[in-house]
Amino acid sequence: QVELVESGGGLVQAGDSLKLSCTASGRDFSRDDMGWFRQAPGKAREFLARARWNGSSSTVVADSVRGRFTISRDNAKNAVYLQMNNLKPEDTAVYVCAAKGIFHTNWSYWGRGTQVTVSS
């Protein structure tokens, strides 16, 4: 059974930093894309970042968070991370980890998410 489990969310103040972790089990994702999304109440799910391993690390970060958020992965731990700096109240959302094959368009595996709340 494939499972993605996020951790590291919480309540922080504007300007603070958080590092989210996502650990996968049940499948080796070292040759797959792993990424992060978020969903705020009443809003559509938003893509944040993707990390691909194809001999070297390749990342894509959404324009909306570029410069503040950084994605990284540790294939030995089957894990992906999201470092979030200078958090803003509008970053409040449930942050969800996902994974897919590199040639797939749709993300196949999803975690349940971790809540991040940023107070002003």
Side-chain angles (χ1 to χ4, degrees), residues 32-110:
D32 294 328
D33 288 343
M34 298 188 79
W36 288 94
F37 293 74
R38 69 183 178 188
Q39 188 161 19
K43 294 187 177 181
R45 186 167 58 201
E46 177 187 11
F47 167 79
L48 297 175
R50 182 263 287 157
R52 173 174 297 173
W53 180 262
N54 54 5
S56 62
S57 180
S58 169
T59 63
V60 172
V61 180
D63 290 344
S64 60
V65 298
R66 187 174 300 135
R68 298 191 299 123
F69 290 11
T70 303
I71 188 171
S72 62
R73 64 187 293 169
D74 185 338
N75 284 340
K77 296 182 178 180
N78 217 18
V80 64
Y81 308 97
L82 187 68
Q83 176 68 46
M84 306 185 295
N85 297 329
N86 189 23
L87 283 162
K88 304 175 181 180
E90 52 263 42
D91 293 319
T92 295
V94 175
Y95 285 70
V96 183
C97 169
K100 68 175 183 69
I102 63 173
F103 299 113
H104 294 179
T105 300
N106 295 325
W107 293 82
S108 304
Y109 304 96
W110 295 88

Coordinates of all heavy atoms in Angstrom, one line a residue, residues 32-110:
D32 N 10.6 9.0 -9.8 CA 9.3 9.7 -10.1 C 9.4 11.2 -9.7 O 10.4 11.6 -9.0 CB 8.2 9.0 -9.3 CG 7.9 7.6 -9.7 OD1 8.1 7.3 -10.9 OD2 7.5 6.8 -8.9
D33 N 8.5 11.9 -10.1 CA 8.3 13.3 -9.6 C 7.6 13.3 -8.3 O 6.7 12.5 -8.0 CB 7.4 14.1 -10.6 CG 8.1 14.4 -11.9 OD1 9.4 14.3 -12.0 OD2 7.4 14.8 -12.9
M34 N 8.1 14.2 -7.4 CA 7.4 14.4 -6.1 C 7.2 15.9 -6.0 O 8.0 16.7 -6.4 CB 8.3 13.9 -5.0 CG 8.5 12.4 -5.0 SD 9.3 11.7 -3.5 CE 7.8 11.7 -2.4
G35 N 6.1 16.3 -5.4 CA 5.8 17.7 -5.4 C 4.9 18.1 -4.3 O 4.5 17.2 -3.5
W36 N 4.6 19.4 -4.3 CA 3.8 20.0 -3.2 C 2.7 20.8 -3.8 O 2.9 21.5 -4.8 CB 4.6 20.8 -2.3 CG 5.5 20.1 -1.4 CD1 6.8 19.8 -1.6 CD2 5.2 19.5 -0.1 NE1 7.3 19.1 -0.5 CE2 6.3 18.9 0.4 CE3 4.0 19.5 0.7 CZ2 6.3 18.2 1.6 CZ3 4.0 18.8 1.9 CH2 5.2 18.2 2.4
F37 N 1.5 20.7 -3.2 CA 0.3 21.5 -3.6 C -0.2 22.1 -2.3 O 0.2 21.7 -1.2 CB -0.7 20.7 -4.2 CG -0.4 20.1 -5.6 CD1 0.5 19.1 -5.7 CD2 -0.9 20.6 -6.7 CE1 0.8 18.5 -6.9 CE2 -0.6 20.1 -8.0 CZ 0.3 19.1 -8.1
R38 N -1.1 23.1 -2.4 CA -1.8 23.6 -1.3 C -3.2 23.9 -1.7 O -3.5 24.2 -2.8 CB -1.1 24.8 -0.6 CG -1.2 26.1 -1.5 CD -0.4 27.2 -0.8 NE -0.4 28.4 -1.6 CZ 0.4 29.5 -1.3 NH1 1.2 29.5 -0.3 NH2 0.3 30.5 -2.1
Q39 N -4.1 23.9 -0.6 CA -5.5 24.3 -0.9 C -6.0 25.1 0.3 O -6.0 24.6 1.4 CB -6.4 23.1 -1.1 CG -7.8 23.5 -1.5 CD -8.5 22.3 -2.2 OE1 -8.1 21.2 -2.1 NE2 -9.6 22.6 -2.9
A40 N -6.4 26.3 0.0 CA -6.9 27.2 1.1 C -8.5 27.1 1.0 O -9.0 26.7 0.0 CB -6.5 28.6 0.8
P41 N -9.1 27.4 2.1 CA -10.6 27.3 2.1 C -11.2 28.1 1.0 O -10.9 29.3 0.9 CB -10.9 27.8 3.5 CG -9.7 27.6 4.4 CD -8.6 27.8 3.4
G42 N -12.1 27.4 0.3 CA -12.8 28.1 -0.8 C -12.0 28.4 -2.0 O -12.5 29.0 -3.0
K43 N -10.8 27.9 -2.1 CA -10.0 28.1 -3.3 C -9.6 26.7 -3.9 O -9.6 25.7 -3.3 CB -8.7 28.8 -2.9 CG -9.0 30.3 -2.4 CD -7.7 31.0 -2.2 CE -8.0 32.5 -1.8 NZ -6.7 33.2 -1.7
A44 N -9.2 26.8 -5.2 CA -8.8 25.6 -5.9 C -7.4 25.2 -5.4 O -6.6 26.0 -4.8 CB -8.8 25.9 -7.4
R45 N -7.1 23.9 -5.6 CA -5.8 23.4 -5.2 C -4.8 24.1 -6.1 O -5.0 24.2 -7.3 CB -5.8 21.9 -5.4 CG -4.5 21.2 -5.0 CD -4.7 19.7 -4.9 NE -5.1 19.2 -6.2 CZ -5.7 18.0 -6.3 NH1 -6.0 17.3 -5.2 NH2 -6.0 17.6 -7.5
E46 N -3.7 24.5 -5.5 CA -2.6 25.2 -6.2 C -1.3 24.4 -6.2 O -0.8 24.0 -5.2 CB -2.4 26.6 -5.5 CG -1.3 27.4 -6.1 CD -1.0 28.7 -5.2 OE1 -1.5 28.8 -4.1 OE2 -0.2 29.5 -5.7
F47 N -0.7 24.3 -7.4 CA 0.6 23.7 -7.5 C 1.6 24.6 -7.0 O 1.6 25.8 -7.3 CB 0.9 23.3 -9.0 CG 2.3 23.0 -9.3 CD1 2.8 21.7 -9.0 CD2 3.2 23.9 -9.8 CE1 4.1 21.4 -9.2 CE2 4.5 23.6 -10.0 CZ 5.0 22.3 -9.7
L48 N 2.6 24.1 -6.2 CA 3.6 24.9 -5.6 C 5.0 24.5 -6.2 O 5.8 25.4 -6.6 CB 3.7 24.7 -4.1 CG 2.4 25.1 -3.3 CD1 2.6 24.8 -1.9 CD2 2.2 26.6 -3.5
A49 N 5.3 23.2 -6.2 CA 6.7 22.9 -6.6 C 6.8 21.4 -6.9 O 6.0 20.6 -6.5 CB 7.7 23.2 -5.5
R50 N 7.8 21.1 -7.8 CA 8.0 19.7 -8.2 C 9.5 19.4 -8.2 O 10.3 20.3 -8.6 CB 7.4 19.5 -9.6 CG 7.6 18.0 -10.1 CD 8.8 17.9 -11.0 NE 8.6 18.5 -12.3 CZ 9.5 19.0 -13.1 NH1 10.8 18.8 -12.7 NH2 9.3 19.5 -14.3
A51 N 9.9 18.3 -7.7 CA 11.3 17.9 -7.7 C 11.4 16.6 -8.5 O 10.7 15.6 -8.2 CB 11.8 17.7 -6.3
R52 N 12.3 16.5 -9.4 CA 12.5 15.4 -10.3 C 14.0 14.9 -10.1 O 14.9 15.8 -10.0 CB 12.3 15.7 -11.7 CG 12.6 14.6 -12.7 CD 12.1 15.0 -14.1 NE 10.7 15.1 -14.1 CZ 10.0 15.5 -15.2 NH1 10.7 15.9 -16.3 NH2 8.7 15.6 -15.2
W53 N 14.2 13.6 -10.1 CA 15.5 13.1 -10.0 C 15.8 12.3 -11.3 O 15.2 11.3 -11.5 CB 15.8 12.2 -8.8 CG 17.2 11.7 -8.7 CD1 17.6 10.5 -9.1 CD2 18.3 12.4 -8.2 NE1 19.0 10.4 -8.9 CE2 19.4 11.6 -8.4 CE3 18.5 13.7 -7.7 CZ2 20.7 12.0 -8.0 CZ3 19.8 14.1 -7.4 CH2 20.9 13.2 -7.5
N54 N 16.7 12.8 -12.1 CA 17.1 12.1 -13.3 C 18.6 12.1 -13.5 O 19.1 12.3 -14.5 CB 16.4 12.7 -14.5 CG 16.6 14.1 -14.7 OD1 17.4 14.7 -13.9 ND2 16.0 14.8 -15.6
G55 N 19.2 11.7 -12.4 CA 20.7 11.8 -12.3 C 21.2 13.0 -11.6 O 22.2 13.0 -11.0
S56 N 20.4 14.0 -11.7 CA 20.7 15.2 -10.9 C 19.3 15.8 -10.6 O 18.3 15.5 -11.2 CB 21.5 16.2 -11.7 OG 20.8 16.7 -12.9
S57 N 19.3 16.7 -9.6 CA 18.0 17.3 -9.2 C 17.5 18.4 -10.1 O 18.3 19.2 -10.6 CB 18.2 17.9 -7.8 OG 17.0 18.4 -7.3
S58 N 16.3 18.3 -10.4 CA 15.6 19.2 -11.3 C 14.4 19.7 -10.6 O 13.6 18.9 -10.1 CB 15.3 18.6 -12.6 OG 14.4 19.5 -13.4
T59 N 14.2 21.0 -10.4 CA 13.0 21.5 -9.7 C 12.3 22.5 -10.5 O 12.9 23.3 -11.3 CB 13.5 22.1 -8.3 OG1 14.3 23.2 -8.5 CG2 14.2 21.1 -7.5
V60 N 11.0 22.6 -10.2 CA 10.1 23.7 -10.7 C 9.4 24.3 -9.5 O 8.8 23.5 -8.7 CB 9.2 23.1 -11.7 CG1 8.1 24.2 -12.1 CG2 9.9 22.6 -13.0
V61 N 9.3 25.6 -9.4 CA 8.6 26.2 -8.4 C 7.7 27.3 -9.0 O 8.0 28.0 -9.9 CB 9.6 27.0 -7.4 CG1 8.8 27.7 -6.3 CG2 10.6 26.0 -6.8
A62 N 6.5 27.3 -8.5 CA 5.4 28.2 -9.0 C 5.9 29.7 -8.8 O 6.5 30.0 -7.8 CB 4.1 27.9 -8.3
D63 N 5.5 30.5 -9.7 CA 5.8 31.9 -9.7 C 5.3 32.5 -8.4 O 6.0 33.4 -7.8 CB 5.2 32.6 -10.9 CG 5.8 32.3 -12.2 OD1 6.9 31.7 -12.2 OD2 5.2 32.6 -13.2
S64 N 4.2 32.1 -7.9 CA 3.5 32.7 -6.7 C 4.4 32.5 -5.5 O 4.2 33.3 -4.5 CB 2.1 32.1 -6.5 OG 2.2 30.7 -6.3
V65 N 5.2 31.5 -5.4 CA 6.0 31.3 -4.2 C 7.5 31.3 -4.5 O 8.3 31.1 -3.5 CB 5.6 30.0 -3.5 CG1 4.1 30.1 -3.0 CG2 5.8 28.8 -4.4
R66 N 7.9 31.5 -5.7 CA 9.3 31.4 -6.0 C 10.1 32.5 -5.3 O 9.6 33.7 -5.2 CB 9.5 31.6 -7.5 CG 11.0 31.4 -8.0 CD 11.1 31.4 -9.5 NE 10.3 30.4 -10.1 CZ 9.5 30.6 -11.2 NH1 9.4 31.8 -11.7 NH2 8.8 29.6 -11.6
G67 N 11.2 32.2 -4.8 CA 12.0 33.1 -4.0 C 11.8 33.0 -2.5 O 12.6 33.4 -1.7
R68 N 10.6 32.4 -2.1 CA 10.3 32.1 -0.7 C 10.3 30.6 -0.4 O 10.6 30.2 0.7 CB 9.0 32.7 -0.3 CG 8.9 34.3 -0.5 CD 7.7 34.8 0.2 NE 6.5 34.3 -0.4 CZ 5.5 33.7 0.2 NH1 5.6 33.5 1.5 NH2 4.4 33.3 -0.4
F69 N 9.8 29.8 -1.3 CA 9.7 28.4 -1.1 C 10.8 27.6 -1.9 O 11.0 28.0 -3.1 CB 8.3 27.9 -1.5 CG 7.2 28.3 -0.7 CD1 7.3 29.3 0.3 CD2 5.9 27.8 -0.8 CE1 6.3 29.7 1.1 CE2 4.9 28.1 -0.1 CZ 5.0 29.1 0.9
T70 N 11.3 26.6 -1.3 CA 12.3 25.8 -2.0 C 11.9 24.3 -1.7 O 11.6 23.9 -0.6 CB 13.7 26.0 -1.4 OG1 14.1 27.4 -1.5 CG2 14.7 25.2 -2.1
I71 N 12.0 23.5 -2.8 CA 11.7 22.1 -2.7 C 13.0 21.3 -2.8 O 13.9 21.7 -3.6 CB 10.7 21.6 -3.8 CG1 10.3 20.2 -3.6 CG2 11.3 21.8 -5.2 CD1 9.2 19.8 -4.5
S72 N 13.1 20.2 -2.1 CA 14.2 19.4 -2.1 C 13.8 17.9 -1.9 O 12.7 17.7 -1.4 CB 15.3 19.8 -1.1 OG 14.8 19.7 0.2
R73 N 14.6 17.0 -2.2 CA 14.2 15.6 -1.9 C 15.5 14.8 -1.5 O 16.6 15.2 -1.7 CB 13.6 15.0 -3.2 CG 14.5 14.9 -4.4 CD 13.7 14.4 -5.6 NE 13.2 13.0 -5.4 CZ 12.3 12.5 -6.2 NH1 11.8 13.2 -7.3 NH2 11.9 11.2 -6.1
D74 N 15.2 13.7 -0.8 CA 16.2 12.8 -0.3 C 15.7 11.4 -0.8 O 14.9 10.8 -0.1 CB 16.3 12.8 1.2 CG 17.4 12.0 1.7 OD1 17.8 11.0 1.0 OD2 17.9 12.3 2.8
N75 N 16.3 10.9 -1.9 CA 15.9 9.6 -2.4 C 16.2 8.5 -1.5 O 15.4 7.5 -1.4 CB 16.5 9.4 -3.8 CG 15.9 10.2 -4.9 OD1 14.7 10.7 -4.7 ND2 16.6 10.4 -6.0
A76 N 17.2 8.6 -0.7 CA 17.6 7.5 0.2 C 16.5 7.4 1.3 O 16.3 6.3 1.8 CB 18.9 7.8 0.9
K77 N 15.8 8.5 1.6 CA 14.7 8.4 2.6 C 13.3 8.4 1.9 O 12.3 8.4 2.6 CB 14.8 9.6 3.5 CG 16.1 9.6 4.3 CD 16.1 10.8 5.3 CE 17.3 10.8 6.2 NZ 17.4 12.0 7.1
N78 N 13.3 8.4 0.6 CA 12.0 8.4 -0.1 C 11.2 9.6 0.3 O 10.0 9.4 0.6 CB 11.3 7.1 0.1 CG 10.5 6.6 -1.2 OD1 10.8 7.0 -2.3 ND2 9.6 5.7 -0.9
A79 N 11.8 10.7 0.4 CA 11.2 11.9 1.0 C 11.4 13.1 0.2 O 12.3 13.2 -0.6 CB 11.7 12.1 2.4
V80 N 10.4 14.1 0.3 CA 10.5 15.4 -0.3 C 10.2 16.4 0.8 O 9.4 16.2 1.7 CB 9.6 15.4 -1.5 CG1 8.1 15.3 -1.1 CG2 9.8 16.7 -2.3
Y81 N 10.8 17.6 0.6 CA 10.7 18.6 1.6 C 10.3 19.9 0.9 O 10.5 20.2 -0.2 CB 12.0 18.8 2.3 CG 12.6 17.6 2.9 CD1 13.5 16.8 2.2 CD2 12.1 17.0 4.1 CE1 14.1 15.7 2.6 CE2 12.7 15.8 4.6 CZ 13.6 15.2 3.9 OH 14.1 14.0 4.3
L82 N 9.6 20.8 1.7 CA 9.3 22.1 1.2 C 9.7 23.1 2.3 O 9.1 23.2 3.4 CB 7.8 22.3 1.0 CG 7.4 23.6 0.3 CD1 7.9 23.7 -1.1 CD2 5.9 23.7 0.3
Q83 N 10.8 23.9 2.0 CA 11.2 24.9 2.9 C 10.5 26.2 2.6 O 10.5 26.7 1.4 CB 12.7 25.2 2.8 CG 13.3 26.3 3.6 CD 13.2 26.0 5.1 OE1 13.6 25.0 5.5 NE2 12.7 27.0 5.9
M84 N 9.8 26.8 3.6 CA 9.0 28.0 3.3 C 9.5 29.1 4.2 O 9.5 29.0 5.4 CB 7.5 27.7 3.7 CG 7.0 26.5 2.9 SD 5.2 26.2 3.2 CE 5.2 25.8 4.9
N85 N 9.9 30.2 3.6 CA 10.5 31.3 4.3 C 9.6 32.5 4.1 O 8.8 32.6 3.2 CB 11.9 31.6 3.8 CG 12.8 30.5 4.0 OD1 12.7 29.7 5.0 ND2 13.8 30.4 3.1
N86 N 9.7 33.5 5.0 CA 8.9 34.7 5.0 C 7.5 34.4 4.7 O 6.8 35.0 3.8 CB 9.5 35.6 3.9 CG 8.9 37.0 3.9 OD1 8.4 37.5 4.9 ND2 9.0 37.7 2.8
L87 N 6.9 33.6 5.6 CA 5.5 33.2 5.4 C 4.6 34.4 5.6 O 4.8 35.3 6.4 CB 5.2 32.1 6.4 CG 5.7 30.7 5.9 CD1 5.7 29.8 7.1 CD2 4.9 30.2 4.8
K88 N 3.5 34.4 4.8 CA 2.5 35.4 4.8 C 1.1 34.8 5.2 O 0.9 33.6 5.0 CB 2.4 36.1 3.4 CG 3.7 36.6 2.9 CD 3.6 37.1 1.5 CE 5.0 37.6 1.0 NZ 4.9 38.1 -0.4
P89 N 0.2 35.6 5.7 CA -1.1 35.1 6.0 C -1.8 34.4 4.9 O -2.5 33.4 5.0 CB -1.9 36.4 6.5 CG -0.8 37.2 7.0 CD 0.4 37.0 6.1
E90 N -1.5 34.9 3.6 CA -2.2 34.3 2.5 C -1.6 32.9 2.1 O -2.1 32.2 1.3 CB -2.1 35.2 1.2 CG -0.7 35.7 1.0 CD -0.4 37.1 1.5 OE1 -0.9 37.3 2.7 OE2 0.2 37.9 0.8
D91 N -0.5 32.5 2.9 CA 0.0 31.1 2.7 C -0.8 30.1 3.5 O -0.5 28.9 3.4 CB 1.5 31.1 3.1 CG 2.4 31.9 2.2 OD1 2.2 31.8 1.0 OD2 3.3 32.6 2.7
T92 N -1.7 30.6 4.3 CA -2.5 29.7 5.1 C -3.3 28.7 4.2 O -4.0 29.1 3.4 CB -3.5 30.5 6.0 OG1 -2.7 31.2 7.0 CG2 -4.4 29.5 6.8
A93 N -3.1 27.4 4.5 CA -3.7 26.4 3.6 C -3.3 25.0 4.2 O -2.5 24.9 5.1 CB -3.2 26.5 2.2
V94 N -3.9 24.0 3.6 CA -3.5 22.6 3.8 C -2.5 22.3 2.7 O -2.8 22.5 1.5 CB -4.7 21.7 3.7 CG1 -4.2 20.2 3.8 CG2 -5.7 21.9 4.8
Y95 N -1.3 21.9 3.1 CA -0.3 21.6 2.2 C -0.2 20.1 2.0 O -0.1 19.3 2.9 CB 1.1 22.1 2.7 CG 1.2 23.6 2.6 CD1 0.4 24.5 3.3 CD2 2.0 24.2 1.6 CE1 0.4 25.8 3.2 CE2 2.1 25.6 1.5 CZ 1.3 26.4 2.3 OH 1.3 27.7 2.1
V96 N -0.2 19.7 0.7 CA -0.3 18.3 0.4 C 0.9 17.8 -0.5 O 1.2 18.5 -1.5 CB -1.6 18.0 -0.4 CG1 -1.8 16.5 -0.7 CG2 -2.8 18.5 0.5
C97 N 1.4 16.7 -0.2 CA 2.5 16.1 -1.0 C 1.9 15.2 -2.0 O 0.8 14.5 -1.8 CB 3.3 15.3 0.0 SG 4.6 14.2 -0.7
A98 N 2.5 15.1 -3.2 CA 2.0 14.2 -4.3 C 3.2 13.6 -5.0 O 4.3 14.1 -5.0 CB 1.1 15.0 -5.2
A99 N 2.9 12.5 -5.8 CA 3.9 11.9 -6.6 C 3.3 11.4 -7.9 O 2.1 11.1 -8.0 CB 4.6 10.8 -5.8
K100 N 4.1 11.3 -8.9 CA 3.7 10.8 -10.2 C 4.9 10.3 -11.1 O 6.0 10.7 -10.8 CB 2.9 11.8 -11.0 CG 3.8 13.0 -11.5 CD 3.0 13.9 -12.4 CE 3.8 15.0 -12.9 NZ 4.8 14.5 -13.9
G101 N 4.6 9.5 -12.0 CA 5.7 9.2 -13.0 C 6.1 10.4 -13.8 O 5.3 11.3 -14.0
I102 N 7.4 10.4 -14.2 CA 7.9 11.6 -14.9 C 7.2 11.8 -16.2 O 7.2 13.0 -16.7 CB 9.4 11.6 -15.0 CG1 9.9 10.5 -15.9 CG2 10.1 11.6 -13.6 CD1 11.3 10.5 -16.2
F103 N 6.7 10.8 -16.8 CA 6.0 11.0 -18.1 C 4.5 11.1 -18.0 O 3.8 11.2 -19.0 CB 6.4 9.8 -19.0 CG 7.9 9.7 -19.3 CD1 8.6 8.6 -18.8 CD2 8.5 10.6 -20.0 CE1 9.9 8.5 -19.0 CE2 9.9 10.6 -20.3 CZ 10.6 9.5 -19.8
H104 N 4.0 11.1 -16.8 CA 2.6 11.2 -16.5 C 2.2 12.7 -16.3 O 3.0 13.5 -15.8 CB 2.2 10.4 -15.3 CG 2.4 9.0 -15.5 ND1 2.1 8.1 -14.5 CD2 2.8 8.2 -16.5 CE1 2.3 6.8 -14.9 NE2 2.8 6.9 -16.2
T105 N 1.1 13.0 -16.8 CA 0.5 14.4 -16.6 C -0.1 14.5 -15.2 O 0.1 15.5 -14.5 CB -0.5 14.7 -17.7 OG1 0.2 14.7 -19.0 CG2 -1.0 16.2 -17.5
N106 N -0.9 13.5 -14.9 CA -1.7 13.6 -13.6 C -0.8 13.0 -12.5 O -0.1 12.1 -12.6 CB -3.0 12.8 -13.8 CG -3.9 13.4 -14.8 OD1 -4.0 14.6 -15.0 ND2 -4.6 12.5 -15.5
W107 N -1.0 13.6 -11.3 CA -0.4 13.2 -10.1 C -1.2 12.0 -9.6 O -2.4 12.1 -9.4 CB -0.3 14.3 -9.1 CG 0.6 15.4 -9.6 CD1 0.3 16.4 -10.4 CD2 2.0 15.6 -9.2 NE1 1.4 17.2 -10.6 CE2 2.4 16.7 -9.9 CE3 2.8 14.9 -8.3 CZ2 3.7 17.2 -9.8 CZ3 4.1 15.4 -8.2 CH2 4.6 16.5 -8.9
S108 N -0.5 10.9 -9.4 CA -1.2 9.6 -9.1 C -1.3 9.3 -7.6 O -2.3 8.7 -7.2 CB -0.4 8.4 -9.7 OG -0.2 8.6 -11.1
Y109 N -0.4 9.8 -6.8 CA -0.4 9.5 -5.3 C -0.5 10.8 -4.5 O 0.2 11.8 -4.9 CB 0.9 8.8 -5.0 CG 1.1 7.5 -5.8 CD1 1.9 7.5 -6.9 CD2 0.4 6.3 -5.4 CE1 2.0 6.3 -7.6 CE2 0.6 5.1 -6.1 CZ 1.4 5.2 -7.2 OH 1.5 4.0 -8.0
W110 N -1.3 10.8 -3.5 CA -1.5 12.0 -2.7 C -1.4 11.7 -1.2 O -1.9 10.7 -0.8 CB -2.9 12.6 -3.0 CG -3.0 13.1 -4.4 CD1 -3.4 12.4 -5.5 CD2 -2.8 14.4 -4.9 NE1 -3.4 13.2 -6.6 CE2 -3.0 14.5 -6.3 CE3 -2.3 15.6 -4.3 CZ2 -2.9 15.6 -7.0 CZ3 -2.2 16.8 -5.0 CH2 -2.5 16.8 -6.4

